[in-house]
Amino acid sequence: MTNAPHTASSKTYTDEDIKNLVDTKTGKYSPEIYTSEELYQLELEKIFARTWICVGHESQLPNYGDFQSAYIGEDPVVVVRQKDNSIRVFLNQCRHRGMRICRVDAGNARAFTCPYHGWAYDSAGNLVSVPMETEAFNDALKKDEWGPKQARVETYKGLIFANWDESAPDLDTYLGDAKFYMDTMLDRVEGGTEVIEGIQKWVIPANWKFAAEQFGSDAYHAGTTSHISGIMAGVPAGTDLSQVQPPTDGLNVYIGNGHACGLFLRNPMFYQVIVGPAVTEYLTQTSYPEAVERIGKERADINLCHMNVFPNLSFLTGINTVRMWQPRGPHEMEIWSFTLVDKKAPDAIKQEWSRNNVRTFSAGGVFEQDDGENWNDIQHVLRGHVAKQQKFNIEMSDHTVRDAEPGYPGKSFADTYGEEAARNIYAHWARMLTTSDFSFLDSVPTLKAAE
Amino acid sequence: MLDIITKNDFSVKPAPVSVELQQEIEQFYFWEAKLMGDRNWESWFTLMSKEIEYWAPIRTTRIMRETEKEYTDKNGFAHFFDDWNMLEGRIRKIMSDVGWSENPASRLRHIVSNVLIWKGAEEGEYDVSTSVITYRNRQERQADIFSAERQDKIRRVDDERGFEVVKRKILLDQSTVLSNNISFFF
């Protein structure tokens, strides 16, 4: 089967072409995956319109009528808390002439009225009022057929996911073993997590996959060059930086279904550099026994897990930054980022957690500001015709790869500084673009832990 | 509507101050802006009090009747929410050889204007609102423009600095930050 051309691009990719962009055997791949408009349009169709996309956290919508704007790929949606406490996600598009029906970031409303001609939808997305319905439509408009497109909605421990595709597997199956690692952040203590209010949004002129893959697989940049100055900013002046390096004790994990993560184990010193002393004490002492009891020592001892839930939801557990890499064409993304804290943590700890997140992993964060520098420079270089022809290298850690790791679920593993996860993320990406059903998804056994 | 928007310390028209005081405070801000443009971050940082609270809440787009929720509060997320120690770490990062977001460094210009001065609660303290246009240009062709109101509390000091900044609240005129990072200061 060949994919139909989506743009007037001079190149039309066959399925075979797409699969050949990523060679997991040699660890070489083509940077065309970051630049092609045609591949980008395919991503919107084959990935974003049929996988589970995070659109927020339940604590952002505590009351009936609370809503926020979000995106599934480039499709704007409204996420609304219903009277029965369920959540609906529908396309932010009036069915009459396509105008945006919600034009703010968040709020509380009983109805969304299109500013163009006044069609009004209730909080469930039902078209309830049409101006001059008798005079203009002779009362013949079938209002029940003209609500905005609804997405499937499911939640996992507070995080809200939406999916346009009726045939996609349910969220639980889709996340699979990713839940095991997500729980290190979402389920450490009783009551779970809540959001620090406010989503920070900013723009990076780079393809969304740089960020998604880095959070899924790249501990190498943290342990080497990129973030030395970020570490420096988190320790007292004159500190011997060799004492606060990221550890080598950890894992690079390909979880399955495109999800991936990397773990740093048992390194509270590095923790301190990021979350600060008060939150380090909370995580490694005050709340540690409860975390061990709930999720087990293996996971309670993960001192930072960088993770990507395919396609575009990333976390850094510990500092608990959550972000959605919103695709904006092959050459640009918006980062939407918020912070989670344990709901039952003391208020002072919550604020300290948030402030350290602002300090480290935000648009102005001493770690994150350097990421923005790398990705946009790579993208800029890729404007070059010759630069686009150069294969990139993801062969790292081939020698440490194994298909099992005691205590940790996943499809394959490598040591901390590895690209086993990256290879599999991109292979999964190619499969998604070239397969119409979901038969290739991993069937995942039920989790044993956390019960 | 208006009473919601104006419910803050900087909302009432300030009483007149002397031309000398106006000039003195404006010169303080112009010098501060020059230190930033000159990338003299260590000297700039000496203008911050040990008690500094350096805060830039996140701004959101809200319907008129919910305007009071436009900015995050101090329990919310932010672009900056630093004390002296956090800021000091940032200064070390920005000055280091390996702080890639500022090495090579940005070309920065802060245009400071609309200087409004209120006498503060304590002798020698002033609340000052300034408008800032920040132009940031870096590498080959990156150009960013930020516009903001800064609401400061400054205090007269008995040394060549003249004043120090005790509090700074930066109200950015963007909800989505149209830049790849914020690796400098306002």
Side-chain angles (χ1 to χ4, degrees):
Chain A
M1 191 193 82
T2 303
N3 289 304
H6 284 256
T7 66
S9 156
S10 59
K11 180 155 187 174
T12 298
Y13 292 87
T14 65
D15 287 354
E16 213 45 41
D17 293 337
I18 292 172
K19 284 176 189 153
N20 288 337
L21 292 169
V22 181
D23 185 346
T24 53
K25 296 225 164 43
T26 61
K28 289 180 183 160
Y29 74 109
S30 166
E32 276 175 56
I33 70 168
Y34 302 126
T35 60
S36 161
E37 177 65 32
E38 185 183 346
L39 292 174
Y40 177 73
Q41 291 300 328
L42 264 181
E43 287 176 342
L44 294 183
E45 176 192 341
K46 299 277 196 172
I47 295 174
F48 287 93
R50 63 188 193 128
T51 55
W52 289 98
I53 303 296
C54 182
V55 291
H57 189 276
E58 290 204 62
S59 62
Q60 288 165 324
L61 312 166
N63 304 311
Y64 168 46
D66 286 348
F67 69 88
Q68 66 184 23
S69 290
Y71 278 90
I72 299 176
E74 297 231 39
D75 285 309
V77 293
V78 194
V79 186
V80 195
R81 177 71 75 177
Q82 305 296 301
K83 206 168 193 171
D84 66 0
N85 209 36
S86 66
I87 292 164
R88 287 211 180 205
V89 176
F90 49 83
L91 197 60
N92 191 355
Q93 180 190 43
C94 181
R95 290 295 305 282
H96 177 218
R97 294 297 189 91
M99 172 61 186
R100 196 182 279 265
I101 51 179
C102 170
R103 297 186 301 142
V104 297
D105 293 330
N108 183 284
R110 290 289 180 270
F112 299 94
T113 304
C114 177
Y116 196 3
H117 302 96
W119 285 27
Y121 304 86
D122 67 12
S123 53
N126 302 305
L127 177 61
V128 289
S129 166
V130 173
M132 292 182 275
E133 199 174 346
T134 304
E135 299 88 328
F137 292 93
N138 198 27
D139 290 320
L141 180 70
K142 292 177 177 151
K143 292 211 292 290
D144 56 347
E145 293 177 7
W146 291 97
K149 166 91 176 158
Q150 300 271 347
R152 295 168 64 189
V153 182
E154 293 193 46
T155 64
Y156 181 70
K157 295 188 179 176
L159 290 171
I160 310 164
F161 292 82
N163 192 328
W164 296 120
D165 194 323
E166 290 301 327
S167 69
D170 63 24
L171 178 66
D172 194 63
T173 304
Y174 180 74
L175 292 176
D177 281 335
K179 289 174 289 184
F180 175 92
Y181 299 97
M182 292 165 79
D183 286 354
T184 61
M185 175 173 71
L186 298 175
D187 204 11
R188 286 182 74 257
V189 294
E190 194 197 344
T193 56
E194 65 182 14
V195 168
I196 294 287
E197 195 183 336
I199 303 176
Q200 189 187 35
K201 303 172 182 179
W202 73 105
V203 178
I204 292 192
N207 188 277
W208 65 275
K209 292 188 291 301
F210 286 117
E213 181 241 297
Q214 179 181 298
F215 272 67
S217 181
D218 191 342
Y220 192 48
H221 83 293
T224 52
T225 316
S226 271
H227 293 312
I228 294 173
S229 66
I231 293 168
M232 188 183 291
V235 296
T239 301
D240 175 7
L241 287 181
S242 68
Q243 297 307 301
V244 288
Q245 289 301 308
T248 52
D249 188 6
L251 292 171
N252 179 262
V253 185
Y254 180 60
I255 299 168
N257 290 353
H259 317 316
C261 71
L263 315 173
F264 289 142
L265 298 169
R266 295 169 289 277
N267 189 286
M269 193 60 192
F270 189 51
Y271 237 178
Q272 187 133 334
V273 170
I274 297 177
V275 301
V279 181
T280 298
E281 189 186 336
Y282 169 80
L283 287 169
T284 61
Q285 293 174 46
T286 327
S287 66
Y288 180 74
E290 187 183 349
V292 171
E293 201 174 302
R294 286 180 79 83
I295 58 175
K297 192 164 162 37
E298 292 91 350
R299 285 189 287 172
D301 279 343
I302 294 172
N303 289 170
L304 210 123
C305 165
H306 58 84
M307 178 168 188
N308 188 61
V309 173
F310 193 84
N312 69 330
L313 170 66
S314 284
F315 315 107
L316 277 179
T317 72
I319 189 67
N320 287 10
T321 175
V322 178
R323 59 267 315 283
M324 290 86 93
W325 317 107
Q326 312 284 17
R328 293 293 179 264
H331 307 289
E332 188 176 284
M333 72 180 120
E334 270 175 38
I335 303 181
W336 287 30
S337 174
F338 59 80
T339 299
L340 288 177
V341 292
D342 289 347
K343 197 168 183 175
K344 73 176 214 181
D347 287 346
I349 290 294
K350 289 179 183 174
Q351 198 189 55
E352 190 67 13
W353 220 330
S354 173
R355 291 181 73 165
N356 275 290
N357 220 318
V358 171
R359 187 182 68 77
T360 55
F361 287 96
S362 72
V366 295
F367 286 84
E368 185 123 24
Q369 55 182 251
D370 297 316
D371 288 329
E373 197 74 1
N374 289 329
W375 301 330
N376 68 355
D377 263 359
I378 299 169
Q379 194 78 40
H380 190 80
V381 172
L382 287 175
R383 291 170 68 96
H385 172 73
V386 175
K388 273 199 271 284
Q389 315 305 316
Q390 309 304 308
K391 300 278 186 185
F392 284 7
N393 183 311
I394 42 172
E395 69 173 67
M396 194 192 304
S397 72
D398 201 32
H399 62 296
T400 68
V401 172
R402 60 266 188 194
D403 57 17
E405 180 71 26
Y408 297 97
K411 305 292 281 186
S412 58
F413 302 82
D415 290 350
T416 316
Y417 299 112
E419 285 168 341
E420 173 62 7
R423 289 189 285 276
N424 283 287
I425 291 170
Y426 288 126
H428 180 81
W429 170 87
R431 275 197 303 275
M432 285 296 296
L433 292 193
T434 53
T435 315
S436 290
D437 61 27
F438 293 90
S439 55
F440 64 90
L441 287 184
D442 304 304
S443 80
V444 178
T446 312
L447 288 177
K448 290 186 293 291
E451 280 171 1
Chain B
M1 195 63 253
L2 273 177
D3 58 346
I4 294 173
I5 295 170
T6 56
K7 221 184 284 173
N8 67 53
D9 296 337
F10 293 80
S11 63
V12 180
K13 188 180 176 189
V17 296
S18 70
V19 173
E20 289 75 16
L21 180 66
Q22 180 81 29
Q23 197 263 355
E24 195 180 8
I25 289 178
E26 286 183 0
Q27 287 294 309
F28 170 76
Y29 280 111
F30 297 163
W31 182 245
E32 187 207 354
K34 173 147 171 63
L35 291 174
M36 290 197 270
D38 290 348
R39 304 176 191 138
N40 192 346
W41 295 111
E42 281 158 347
S43 296
W44 173 79
F45 189 51
T46 67
L47 302 181
M48 301 295 126
S49 157
K50 282 273 186 186
E51 303 159 42
I52 182 71
E53 179 187 277
Y54 188 87
W55 180 42
I58 287 172
R59 193 166 188 174
T60 56
T61 305
R62 297 280 176 166
I63 205 85
M64 283 285 257
R65 67 182 150 76
E66 294 183 348
T67 306
E68 82 281 4
K69 294 180 177 164
E70 184 171 356
Y71 292 98
T72 52
D73 63 23
K74 285 187 179 170
N75 293 313
F77 207 51
H79 300 302
F80 286 101
F81 196 176
D82 282 14
D83 59 19
W84 190 90
N85 283 316
M86 288 167 151
L87 265 184
E88 194 265 343
R90 287 183 190 272
I91 299 297
R92 269 187 285 125
K93 173 194 166 49
I94 206 174
M95 300 298 288
S96 82
D97 290 340
V98 289
W100 311 113
S101 57
E102 284 298 326
N103 185 17
S106 297
R107 293 168 282 271
L108 269 184
R109 188 75 53 205
H110 290 74
I111 310 298
V112 183
S113 181
N114 304 18
V115 180
L116 292 168
I117 301 163
W118 291 258
K119 290 222 165 75
E122 302 286 322
E123 180 65 28
E125 285 187 356
Y126 302 93
D127 294 330
V128 186
S129 165
T130 53
S131 293
V132 187
I133 300 287
T134 298
Y135 174 78
R136 192 262 292 258
N137 176 293
R138 63 182 279 96
Q139 302 229 81
E140 291 177 2
R141 45 182 284 175
Q142 179 176 338
D144 302 309
I145 296 174
F146 295 87
S147 160
E149 179 187 356
R150 298 184 309 192
Q151 296 178 346
D152 287 358
K153 178 176 170 177
I154 64 171
R155 180 188 295 144
R156 188 179 285 286
V157 290
D158 192 20
D159 56 41
E160 76 286 349
R161 293 174 300 159
F163 299 92
E164 62 179 15
V165 180
V166 183
K167 278 188 180 177
R168 172 160 291 173
K169 180 173 165 185
I170 300 147
L171 301 170
L172 275 179
D173 297 323
Q174 293 185 347
S175 74
T176 299
V177 173
L178 300 175
S179 176
N180 64 323
N181 63 24
I182 308 174
S183 55
F184 53 91
F185 301 95
F186 293 100

